[in-house]
Amino acid sequence: MYLLLAAHADGAALQEITAEGVPEPSNPEPRVVSAGDLAGVVRGIEGRHPRWIWHRTQDWYPALLRAGVELERCYDLTLCGAILAHSEFTAHTGYAQAAEKLTQDDELNQPPRALQPPPPPPEQGALFDAPAPGRRPGQSLEALRAEYAAQQESLGQAGTDSGAAGADATRRQRLQLLLAAESAGAMIAAEMQHTGVPWRAELHEQILAEQLGPRPAPGQRPAKLESLTAELRRLLQSPALNPDSPQELMRALHRNGIEVKTTRQWELKESSHPAIVPLLTYKKLSRLHAANGWTWLDTWVSNGRFQPEYVVGGVVSGRWASRGGGALQIPRQVRGAVHADPGHKLIVADASQLEPRVLVALAQDSKMAEAARDKDLYAGIAAQGFGGDRAKAKVALLGAIYGATTGESGRLMPQLARTYPRAVGFVEQAARDGEAGRTVTSRLGRSSPPPSERWLQSQQSSTAEEQRRADSIARSRGRFTRNFVVQGSAADWAACWLAELRRRLRAMRSAGTAAGQLVFFLHDEVMVQCPEDDVADCIRAIEDSAAAAKELLFGRIPVEFPVSVAVVDSYDNAK
DNA sequence: CTTCCCAGCGCG
DNA sequence: AAAGCGCGCTGGGAAG
C-alpha cells in the first residue's frame, strides 16, 4: 500500500496510490486531515504497513516522532529524485534529462546565491503548522503524485539501453535498493536525532577540568591555556603573542630561527626548539576548548542527550553530513562523556577496513579476496606482497584508494599493482574516467557529479602553462572519482547495513525480545544502546545486518565484511 | 559593523 | 612518518 502525504492549506492531504503512481482505483479520493488530527490518523493507518511517500522526510517525520508515532517505511521524493536525476543507470531516461535541463535553466535564470532569499527558519512550536499558501510550489498532492510516477518510470527503465538483459535487471534492482536504503536512512536520521546520543554533562565537565582547569569566565582563557601562553611568550621572546593567530605565531617562530612554512602540527614536530612541545600542547588544548569545551556543552547537550541533525545525502558520495555540534567529529578526548543510561550498555560496532574490502568486491580481485579472508586484511596483503610489513601494505592500499602519487605511498604503488592488477586497475580506470570528464558510479548506482566549470574551462588551454594547469585540474578530478567509486560504494554498503539493522531492532522491539536503539552512526560505525540483558541479541542483529548488506550489494562472494564489536559503558572504551 | 575565506584540526 | 579522498567547525583576518 502506497500513501502520499502532502501539505495542504488545512493541514495535510493523503491519497492512496498504486506502485506506478496513479490513484488507487478502489480508493482514489484524497483525504484532508487537520494538522491537529494528523498524528492520530497516521498512527491508525500505519497498522496497514503503508509506504509513506512524501516530499521530504524532514518535513513530516520529526513532528510525528515528537507525537510518539514511529513509522515502518517511506519514500523520500527529494532524496530519491536527486539520485535518479544524476545516476548513470537512468541517464538515458526522460526524468534525468528533464532534471538536467532544469539545472541549466536554473543556472541561467537564478540570481547569485547571495541574492536568494534565506531558507525559512526551522519549524518551532505547534505540530504540523500549515505551510503558508503558495510558499511551497510544486508540493501539492497532484504534483507529488506526478513526481513519484515520473521517478518510478525512470527507475523502471534503469539500464535498459545497455548490455545483456540480465545485467539490466541487476542495475534496476540495485538502484531500487539504493532508493529504499536512502529513504530508510532519512527515517533513521530523524529517529536518531529524536533519541539523541546519551551524554553525561558532568563527565564532560570533569574531562574539561582535568585538561584545562576550572571553567573560566566567558571570553577568558582557561587557566591551563593561560599558563601555556605565558610560557610560549617567554620562550619565543614575544611578550604579546596570541598563539591562536597563525600569522603572529609564524612571525614569532621565524624570529626564533624555526623555519617552518606552515604552523601545522606535523611540520612543527620537525623542530626540536624548546617552544615546540608547549606549543603543540597549547594547540591540542585550545582546540578542545574552542570546539568541544563548555560553550559546546551548553549549546548542544541538554537533558542528558546530544541531538545533532544528520544530513542524509549531504555528501556527494552518499555519506551523511551533519549540522550542529560537529556530530561526526566527536574527538576521542571527550568520548568519555558518552555514557550508557543506568542498566544499559552501548554497543559500538564498526565495519573493519570497509573501504579496502569494498574495493576487493568491486574489482572482484580474487588474489586480494584471499587476503581479505581473515580479520586483518592489511596483514593478509602484507604476507602476500610486502614481506609481512603490515604498515607498508596499509599505506600502499590506502594510497591506491586516495590516489597518492608521491611519498612512500606513491612509491609502493607499482609493487601493489604487480600483486593485485585487478584491484589497482579498477581504481585506475575510475581515475582515468574522471580525468577525461566522465562520471563514475557506485555499486548501487549513485553517480559522481559532472565535471566542474573549472574543469570544462581548462579543456580549452592553448599555452604550455595552461596545459600544465589543465593536467593538474584533470588529475585532481581523477583522484576524486578514484575515491568516489570506493567511498560511494562503502556508503551504499553502510546504508544497507543501517537499514537492515533498523528492521531487525524494530522486529525485536515489537516482539518484546530486545529493546535496542540506534543512537549514533558515523560512516562505517554504529552505536546501539540497549538494556544489559539484550546485548547478545543486538550484537547478533548488527552482525546479521552486515552479512545481509554484503549480499545485497555483491551477492554471494568470497569476501568477508567483518564487524568489530565493543560492549561498553562509555564510548572512550570502544577502541 | 557584517560577511566571507583561509588555516588548522577534528572525524571517517 | 606523512599527504592523497570526503566532510564541519572555529578563530583570525581581510574585504566590504
Side-chain angles (χ1 to χ4, degrees):
Chain A
M1 177 192 184
Y2 301 84
L3 255 183
L4 266 174
L5 180 53
H8 186 278
D10 298 323
L14 285 83
Q15 185 179 36
E16 192 174 343
I17 61 173
T18 68
E20 294 76 32
V22 299
E24 169 59 43
S26 64
N27 180 24
E29 287 309 310
R31 171 179 176 190
V32 174
V33 181
S34 74
D37 293 343
L38 184 61
V41 169
V42 167
R43 192 200 313 270
I45 297 173
E46 179 65 8
R48 294 159 64 194
H49 304 283
R51 168 161 294 186
W52 296 93
I53 303 167
W54 47 41
H55 177 233
R56 284 186 314 199
T57 306
Q58 276 293 333
D59 289 346
W60 298 101
Y61 200 33
L64 287 166
L65 288 168
R66 285 195 292 276
V69 181
E70 262 193 40
L71 304 178
E72 183 180 334
R73 52 191 194 145
C74 79
Y75 185 94
D76 187 305
L77 285 162
T78 303
L79 291 173
C80 295
I83 291 171
L84 290 167
H86 299 111
S87 175
E88 263 183 326
F89 293 1
T90 48
H92 61 288
T93 68
Y95 186 84
Q97 283 157 8
E100 191 184 1
K101 185 170 182 318
L102 219 64
T103 321
Q104 285 167 1
D105 292 352
D106 269 8
E107 280 163 10
L108 292 173
N109 299 331
Q110 292 270 331
R113 189 161 287 279
L115 296 179
Q116 289 174 28
E123 55 166 318
Q124 292 287 336
L127 281 177
F128 309 115
D129 289 325
R135 267 273 303 289
R136 300 160 77 173
Q139 289 175 48
S140 66
L141 210 48
E142 186 49 36
L144 295 189
R145 194 194 58 67
E147 173 66 20
Y148 182 71
Q151 290 189 16
Q152 290 307 299
E153 189 190 357
S154 177
L155 175 64
Q157 298 164 352
T160 47
D161 73 337
S162 75
D168 293 344
T170 306
R171 280 189 157 196
R172 183 165 61 245
Q173 285 164 1
R174 275 155 37 196
L175 199 49
Q176 189 159 22
L177 175 61
L178 179 60
L179 300 184
E182 187 88 338
S183 296
M187 301 183 86
I188 295 165
E191 288 161 3
M192 288 199 311
Q193 180 179 11
H194 180 74
T195 305
V197 183
W199 201 287
R200 294 254 293 262
E202 83 280 11
L203 294 178
H204 192 149
E205 282 174 338
Q206 207 176 306
I207 293 165
L208 295 178
E210 278 164 21
Q211 307 260 332
L212 297 166
R215 179 173 190 156
Q220 299 283 340
R221 280 201 184 92
K224 194 69 197 269
L225 287 177
E226 202 56 66
S227 66
L228 281 164
T229 301
E231 188 182 354
L232 287 168
R233 286 172 174 167
R234 183 169 51 76
L235 289 167
L236 294 171
Q237 304 176 59
S238 311
L241 174 70
N242 171 13
D244 290 323
S245 161
Q247 293 185 21
E248 279 186 43
L249 189 55
M250 185 83 86
R251 282 194 290 271
L253 292 170
H254 287 174
R255 274 201 304 277
N256 287 270
I258 307 167
E259 296 301 330
V260 285
K261 289 198 290 297
T262 72
T263 61
R264 282 175 211 158
Q265 282 176 32
W266 63 266
E267 202 181 334
L268 292 172
K269 280 180 193 153
E270 305 287 298
S271 164
S272 56
H273 191 281
I276 295 300
V277 169
L279 177 55
L280 292 174
T281 308
Y282 179 91
K283 278 175 160 281
K284 192 88 190 153
L285 292 179
S286 160
R287 168 85 197 176
L288 171 64
H289 178 235
N292 295 96
W294 291 276
T295 311
W296 182 91
L297 193 53
D298 290 348
T299 311
W300 299 111
V301 176
S302 55
N303 304 316
R305 292 290 186 269
F306 170 41
Q307 298 181 281
E309 180 186 351
Y310 300 91
V311 185
V312 177
V315 181
V316 283
S317 65
R319 280 185 170 183
W320 295 10
S322 73
R323 249 196 304 264
L328 307 186
Q329 309 134 253
I330 301 169
R332 289 172 187 281
Q333 281 167 302
V334 303
R335 291 187 180 185
V338 180
H339 198 286
D341 294 341
H344 288 65
K345 289 285 182 188
L346 299 175
I347 306 172
V348 182
D350 80 81
S352 358
Q353 306 161 341
L354 178 60
E355 292 193 355
R357 291 174 193 277
V358 164
L359 173 56
V360 175
L362 286 172
Q364 300 181 46
D365 188 316
S366 49
K367 180 88 194 271
M368 201 180 271
E370 277 175 41
R373 193 89 30 93
D374 285 327
K375 279 263 176 207
D376 188 352
L377 170 142
Y378 299 127
I381 287 177
Q384 283 180 343
F386 290 86
D389 189 333
R390 184 181 182 281
K392 249 188 185 175
K394 181 176 176 178
V395 164
L397 190 49
L398 291 176
I401 293 172
Y402 291 146
T405 50
T406 60
E408 160 139 43
S409 183
R411 281 196 299 281
L412 291 168
M413 280 290 281
Q415 196 175 340
L416 191 73
R418 273 198 303 279
T419 319
Y420 308 106
R422 286 193 68 122
V424 173
F426 188 89
V427 285
E428 289 292 331
Q429 182 59 48
R432 282 193 291 275
D433 285 341
E435 287 167 9
R438 295 185 286 270
T439 60
V440 296
T441 300
S442 76
R443 176 68 185 172
L444 293 185
R446 194 188 306 266
S447 293
S448 65
S452 65
E453 200 54 41
R454 227 164 75 90
W455 185 93
L456 291 168
Q457 302 248 321
S458 75
Q459 290 306 98
Q460 277 116 45
S461 56
S462 47
T463 68
E465 171 62 26
E466 279 174 353
Q467 187 57 48
R468 261 181 351 105
R469 222 178 126 57
D471 289 348
S472 152
I473 290 169
R475 277 196 305 274
S476 165
R477 180 172 157 79
R479 286 193 300 275
F480 168 64
T481 51
R482 171 199 293 269
N483 187 254
F484 183 97
V485 291
V486 178
Q487 188 184 114
S489 301
D492 291 347
W493 182 91
C496 291
W497 184 36
L498 210 51
E500 287 285 330
L501 177 56
R502 174 179 187 262
R503 198 158 59 74
R504 285 168 172 77
L505 291 176
R506 280 175 58 88
M508 293 194 301
R509 269 206 303 277
S510 68
T513 51
Q517 250 189 333
L518 267 163
V519 296
F520 190 58
F521 170 60
L522 180 57
H523 309 319
D524 61 357
E525 175 181 326
V526 298
M527 187 186 295
V528 169
Q529 178 169 240
C530 70
E532 285 172 25
D533 290 345
D534 299 344
V535 164
D537 283 333
C538 290
I539 290 177
R540 199 168 317 119
I542 290 168
E543 289 172 340
D544 291 351
S545 302
K550 181 194 93 174
E551 199 153 327
L552 283 168
L553 259 75
F554 299 112
R556 306 209 164 152
I557 53 160
V559 182
E560 296 307 311
F561 285 77
V563 174
S564 80
V565 176
V567 179
V568 296
D569 293 314
S570 158
Y571 191 18
D572 60 342
N573 296 132
K575 271 188 202 164

